[in-house]
Each structure stands twice: as structure tokens, then as C-alpha cells.
């Protein structure tokens, strides 16, 4: 491989990365490690030079100092990856580079942009003959360097030129790349957004399992770590379960206490989970598990509100622990698994709804394939989700799959018992509860929505439909209460 100093001939780089933060730097190194010559650019030019100097032994880097030089170093069709903060910063970079590029070139946004911004940008650049690729990248800084899950949107033509490179640097499971063309315009960033929403729900459910085991069963963080480690050998096998065991087992050297006990109990968020909930509302797609996870983080951060409520009375009492800790832990595993399946089912339903709304034709089974490795929510049962959609591409919900449906049915007694125990002891389990409520709502023969619609008709003449007739109707509530067709 050529060194950074030896490289530099115009048009010699097969791909370029602008934005030398941790993610951008690691993504550039990943490309170089796979044999691609990579042009580097950063608003502070010295950062690009530092990457070329420090990692030149990994492959071919071309450090540049200006936007013009950066673009000139890229072979045609040019492939330019943006790794900057979402929002105005991304627009500023596009405005800087688009005038320097030619028809058929590609600008790839690998940040966490909102998919509606991606749709806007894609349409504007398409008019200039430039392909814009909104590309979701999951796996954090380690994934960016060693193999992430990659979710590119954009035109099929752009994927034909870019896809082989992305597949090469992506994570692999059973020799299958964790990368596929998601669909047109904003499809890639949409799927990445839903991925992050599922991630929120997943972590909230894990945290609730920990909290119940600790408060109801009286287990120590070390004992719970051992429980999670055991769970990670079975159907809950996943990256998040694995690292949960690691975090709970860690002792803080400074305080001499379990690490989890010295962390301030206020969870932060960057916004993608909130976006998922907001867009789910627009699509009319219920993602109650993700919503509860977002609200749980928000509530945790309201320190003054929580302090004001600290002395509110509740049902907790000394000695309220469960008697058989091992049996209870097994029931918590059932509740956690069932709730996780529901959260994933809600996420996949939202992807299907978005695909239909925007005409993306997303491969739902393929999405499970590319999330099996590299990404934060990678899990053993994703292969079963792939198989479920392979067996029935029109599956209305994962819960209707025979295998998943049987597991949920088998788990529900324990699931209900864990939630009841938590409620009895005053332990908040919004994720578990929302998942069970969603399941119960789906299986209900009749929902109280009938009464809601009746009330809407009473105060707003919003009409209703009948179970025994076609069409819409309104009752003359202020008159003789006869019914009229509308």
C-alpha cells in the first residue's frame, strides 16, 4: 500500500471522507484497511493531516487542505462521505461541495440526519445531476472502524457504484454483508431512525429487568450480572445483554462500590428516539414501547420534579421481596423476552408503514439480515425475524408469526406476574407494561375505542361507523337522538 506521503495524484482516491471526528476518522480507516485509497478533509486541515500521519500504515490516505483539492483527488464518479453533525452543519457542507461536483457524482451523508431532511436534499441535488445517499451507520466508533451495519438509501444507480465498497467494510454474519440498498431518497435514514428507536426500547426493558431483580428479588448488581451473562447464552443472546452483564459486574475503583451505583440516574438522549415517536404519530403507527422509553429518559432528567415527589406515599414495605429468587429471575427473563419481541414488532410495523407511505418497497426480512451484526441491537433472534418474513413477506406483525406467537403465549403468565409484582411493590415498569398492553389490545375482540368514537360524535359530530351497516353516521344528540347517514 502506498503511504500518505506517496499518494496525492489527482483523481487517485476512490472515496473521500470529510469530518475527522471519531466516527469520520474510523470510517476512513475502515475503507483504507480494505484497500481503498481515501481522501481526507476537515474544516481544520491539520486534523486530516493528523489522520494520514497517524494511520498511514493502515492504507492509502490523501490528506487535503481545501474543498477544491479534496474534490479533485476523487476518481469519477466521485464518492464523498459527509461525517458532520446533523442539521445546518450538513447543509453547509453540501452547499460547499455540491458546486464543485459533476453530474453522476455522489454525496453520502453518513450522519444521523432526519429522513425528511434527506428527502429534501436528495431532491435538490437530483436536479443538479448529483446522487445524494442518506446512509445510516450503526455500531458506534468501534463499528465504524471494524465493521458497522450500513443502511444506504438513494438511487439504485448510486448503490451500483457505491454498494460494493460499503459491503466490503460492513460487518459480516455467515459471510453475508450487513449492508443492503434500503430504498430511494430518505429510506436509509428512516430505517436507521427506527433502529435507534428500537434501541431505546431495548435498553429501557433491560433496565427494568435489572430494577425488578434488584428491588423485588433483592439481588446484588454482581448477581444480576451473572444472571444476564447466563441469559446471553440463550434466546436473549445479543450485544446489549452482553454489555449489560459487563456494566453490572464492574466495580468502581474510586468509590469501592458497584459502578452502576455511582452513576447519576439521569439518562440522556440525542434525539433519534424522539424522532421515531414523532414520525410514528404522523404515520399512525403505534410504537408505545419506544415512546415509553423516550419518556422514561425524559422523566429521569427532571431532577427538580423527582425531588418534589420523593416523599409521595407508595406501597413499598420492608421484607417485600419475592421468596424464590431463581424462579422469579426465570419469570423476568420471560417478561423481558416477550417485551423485546413486542418492541421489535412495533419497529418493523413502523418500517412497513413508512415504506408504504413513501413508496420505498423496503425488504423487511433484509432489514433483519443487516442488523444481525455491527449494530447496537444485533441479536440472535434477528435471524428468526428474517425467517419469519421469508416465510410470509406480507406478515402483518411479528406477533402473528407462529413461532413468535407461541413464545409470547407461553411467556404471558410470567410476564403478567412480573408486572403485577412490580406494581404491587411500586417499581416503575413502563416498558414492560406498555408491551403487554399492546399485546392485549391486539388480541382484544372489542376495544373501548367504540366509546371514544361515540363521545367524539356527541361533542363534535365526528360521525361513526356501525358494525351492522356500511357508511358513516351521526346521532342528533341535541335533538331527538335519531341517527342520520353522513
Amino acid at each position: 500500500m502506498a503511504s500518505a506521503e506517496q499518494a496525492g495524484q489527482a483523481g487517485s482516491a476512490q472515496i473521500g471522507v470529510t469530518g475527522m471526528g471519531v466516527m469520520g476518522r474510523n470510517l476512513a480507516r475502515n475503507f483504507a484497511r480494505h484497500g481503498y485509497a481515501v481522501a481526507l478533509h476537515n474544516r481544520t486541515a491539520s486534523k486530516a493531516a493528523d489522520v494520514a500521519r497517524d494511520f498511514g500504515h493502515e492504507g492509502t490516505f490523501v490528506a487535503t487542505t481545501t474543498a477544491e483539492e479534496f474534490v479533485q483527488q476523487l476518481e469519477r464518479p466521485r464518492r464523498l462521505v459527509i461525517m458532520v453533525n446533523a442539521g445546518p452543519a450538513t447543509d453547509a457542507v453540501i452547499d460547499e461541495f455540491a458546486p464543485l461536483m459533476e453530474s453522476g457524482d455522489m454525496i453520502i451523508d453518513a450522519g444521523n440526519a432526519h429522513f425528511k431532511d434527506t428527502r429534501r436534499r436528495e431532491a435538490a441535488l437530483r436536479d443538479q445531476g448529483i446522487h445524494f445517499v442518506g446512509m445510516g451507520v450503526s455500531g458506534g466508533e468501534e463499528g465504524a472502524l471494524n465493521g458497522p451495519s450500513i443502511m444506504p438509501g438513494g438511487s439504485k444507480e448510486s448503490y451500483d457504484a457505491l454498494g460494493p465498497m460499503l459491503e466490503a467494510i460492513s460487518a459480516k454474519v455467515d459471510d453475508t454483508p450487513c449492508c443492503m440498498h434500503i430504498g430511494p431518497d430518505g429510506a436509509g435514514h428512516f430505517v436507521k431512525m427506527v433502529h435507534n428507536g428500537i434501541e431505546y426500547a431495548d435498553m429501557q426493558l433491560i433496565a427494568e429487568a435489572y430494577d425488578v431483580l434488584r428491588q423485588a428479588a433483592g439481588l446484588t448488581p454482581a448477581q444480576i450480572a451473572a444472571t444476564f451473562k447466563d441469559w446471553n447464552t440463550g434466546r436473549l443472546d445479543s450485544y446489549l445483554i452482553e454489555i449489560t452483564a459487563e456494566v453490572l459486574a464492574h466495580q468502581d475503583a474510586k468509590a469501592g462500590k458497584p459502578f452502576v451505583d455511582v452513576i447519576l440516574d439521569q439518562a440522556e438522549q440525542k434525539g433519534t428516539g424522539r424522532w421515531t415517536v414523532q414520525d410514528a404519530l404522523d404515520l399512525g403507527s403505534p410504537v408505545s414501547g419506544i415512546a415509553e422509553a423516550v419518556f422514561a429518559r425524559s422523566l429521569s432528567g427532571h431532577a427538580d420534579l423527582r425531588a418534589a415527589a420523593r416523599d409521595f406515599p407508595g406501597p413499598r414495605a420492608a421484607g417485600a421481596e419475592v421468596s424464590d429468587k431463581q424462579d422469579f429471575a426465570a419469570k423476568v427473563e420471560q417478561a423481558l423476552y416477550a417485551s423485546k419481541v413486542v418492541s421489535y414488532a412495533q419497529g418493523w410495523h413502523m418500517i412497513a408503514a413508512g415504506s408504504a407511505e413513501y413508496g420505498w418497497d423496503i425488504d423487511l426480512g433484509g432489514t433483519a439480515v443487516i442488523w444481525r451484526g455491527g449494530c447496537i441491537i444485533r441479536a440472535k433472534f434477528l435471524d428468526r425475524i428474517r425467517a419469519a418474513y421469508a416465510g410470509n413477506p406480507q406478515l402483518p406483525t411479528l406477533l402473528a408469526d407462529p413461532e413468535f406467537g407461541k413464545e409470547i403465549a407461553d411467556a404471558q403468565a410470567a410476564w403478567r406476574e412480573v408486572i403485577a409484582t412490580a406494581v404491587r411493590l411500586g417499581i416503575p415498569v413502563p416498558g414492560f407494561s406498555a408491551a403487554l398492553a399492546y399485546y392485549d389490545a391486539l388480541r382484544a375482540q372489542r376495544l373501548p375505542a367504540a366509546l371514544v368514537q361515540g363521545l367524539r360524535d356527541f361533542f363534535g359530530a365526528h360521525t361513526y361507523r356501525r358494525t351492522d351497516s356500511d357508511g358513516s353516521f351521526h346521532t342528533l344528540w341535541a335533538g331527538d337522538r335519531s341517527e342520520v347517514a353522513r
Side-chain angles (χ1 to χ4, degrees):
M1 293 239 176
S3 69
E5 290 73 24
Q6 291 171 321
Q9 180 179 356
S12 63
Q14 293 153 292
I15 196 161
V17 180
T18 179
M20 291 292 103
V22 174
M23 287 291 290
R25 178 175 68 241
N26 283 1
L27 198 64
R29 292 173 59 194
N30 193 350
F31 278 117
R33 288 177 171 187
H34 283 83
Y36 299 108
V38 186
L40 307 175
H41 174 268
N42 197 78
R43 191 167 296 278
T44 302
S46 60
K47 290 188 176 181
D50 290 344
V51 173
R53 181 195 66 233
D54 295 342
F55 304 104
H57 61 283
E58 295 182 339
T60 302
F61 296 103
V62 185
T64 64
T65 57
T66 67
E68 292 77 8
E69 181 188 3
F70 179 56
V71 172
Q72 289 170 2
Q73 293 298 333
L74 301 176
E75 68 177 22
R76 297 290 313 279
R78 299 183 179 94
R79 306 171 186 89
L80 191 161
V81 178
I82 298 173
M83 262 297 193
V84 299
N85 291 333
T90 299
D91 284 319
V93 172
I94 292 171
D95 291 343
E96 180 180 15
F97 286 105
L100 304 176
M101 302 184 76
E102 301 174 71
S103 180
D105 289 349
M106 285 164 271
I107 295 178
I108 303 115
D109 177 12
N112 272 334
H114 193 282
F115 78 95
K116 291 182 179 178
D117 286 336
T118 300
R119 299 191 79 207
R120 168 179 58 80
R121 292 161 181 156
E122 193 275 338
L125 290 172
R126 190 193 321 139
D127 290 341
Q128 302 176 44
I130 298 172
H131 296 281
F132 186 73
V133 176
M135 185 173 81
V137 179
S138 179
E141 58 185 86
E142 181 182 345
L145 179 62
N146 299 313
S149 174
I150 307 178
M151 296 150 263
S155 67
K156 184 180 182 302
E157 182 182 352
S158 66
Y159 192 79
D160 288 342
L162 179 65
M165 300 177 70
L166 299 180
E167 291 174 12
I169 70 163
S170 72
K172 310 292 188 302
V173 176
D174 299 329
D175 296 324
T176 300
C178 294
C179 173
M180 74 172 187
H181 181 225
I182 302 297
D185 55 72
H189 275 146
F190 178 87
V191 166
K192 175 55 164 54
M193 176 187 74
V194 177
H195 165 283
N196 284 22
I198 295 172
E199 178 185 309
Y200 272 59
D202 215 341
M203 286 192 284
Q204 176 64 26
L205 294 170
I206 288 170
E208 290 179 19
Y210 151 76
D211 202 28
V212 170
L213 287 171
R214 189 163 192 187
Q215 295 202 58
L219 299 180
T220 67
Q223 290 172 322
I224 302 171
T227 299
F228 272 89
K229 188 173 182 179
D230 180 60
W231 289 351
N232 199 48
T233 64
R235 61 183 180 176
L236 283 173
D237 180 2
S238 66
Y239 174 70
L240 284 172
I241 295 292
E242 175 189 346
I243 65 173
T244 297
E246 295 284 342
V247 171
L248 289 175
H250 182 58
Q251 284 286 118
D252 181 71
K254 180 179 179 181
K257 298 178 179 179
F259 175 66
V260 72
D261 286 346
V262 300
I263 302 174
L264 187 66
D265 61 342
Q266 297 179 12
E268 299 176 355
Q269 54 184 304
K270 291 186 176 180
T272 48
R274 184 171 64 250
W275 288 350
T276 306
V277 177
Q278 290 168 340
D279 287 303
L281 290 171
D282 291 339
L283 289 168
S285 181
V287 291
S288 52
I290 297 170
E292 288 295 347
V294 172
F295 289 134
R297 291 197 193 188
S298 297
L299 178 60
S300 75
H302 283 277
D304 292 344
L305 179 64
R306 293 173 61 198
R310 197 79 68 193
D311 295 328
F312 285 4
R316 297 174 194 246
E321 299 178 358
V322 298
S323 56
D324 189 332
K325 301 180 192 305
Q326 186 173 357
D327 177 68
F328 186 71
K331 290 174 180 176
V332 173
E333 189 272 346
Q334 294 265 49
L336 176 56
Y337 181 77
S339 299
K340 279 167 66 76
V341 171
V342 168
S343 292
Y344 279 65
Q346 290 181 349
W348 254 266
H349 182 261
M350 182 174 174
I351 292 172
S355 180
E357 174 71 18
Y358 299 106
W360 287 329
D361 193 26
I362 296 174
D363 180 349
L364 298 178
T367 302
V369 170
I370 66 172
W371 286 352
R372 293 183 305 165
C375 70
I376 303 302
I377 66 169
R378 58 187 183 266
K380 182 178 180 179
F381 79 157
L382 282 164
D383 197 55
R384 294 179 50 215
I385 295 178
R386 175 206 59 76
Y389 281 106
N392 181 7
Q394 305 306 316
L395 196 66
T397 171
L398 280 175
L399 304 181
D401 173 73
E403 286 194 23
F404 281 118
K406 183 179 184 305
E407 287 182 321
I408 296 294
D410 292 343
Q412 69 170 302
W415 192 9
R416 295 179 193 281
E417 183 177 336
V418 168
I419 293 171
T421 299
V423 172
R424 177 171 55 82
L425 298 178
I427 303 168
V429 285
F432 282 1
S433 301
L436 180 59
Y438 179 85
Y439 173 76
D440 282 340
L442 286 184
R443 68 178 191 82
Q445 295 298 313
R446 289 276 291 171
L447 290 171
L451 176 57
V452 171
Q453 197 62 16
L455 295 172
R456 294 183 73 241
D457 186 63
F458 190 105
F459 66 70
H462 292 294
T463 76
Y464 51 86
R465 288 172 294 165
R466 297 179 60 93
T467 60
D468 55 3
S469 304
D470 293 332
S472 296
F473 301 89
H474 167 59
T475 292
L476 300 175
W477 297 103
D480 63 2
R481 302 205 170 186
S482 61
E483 184 178 77
V484 295
R486 286 288 177 89

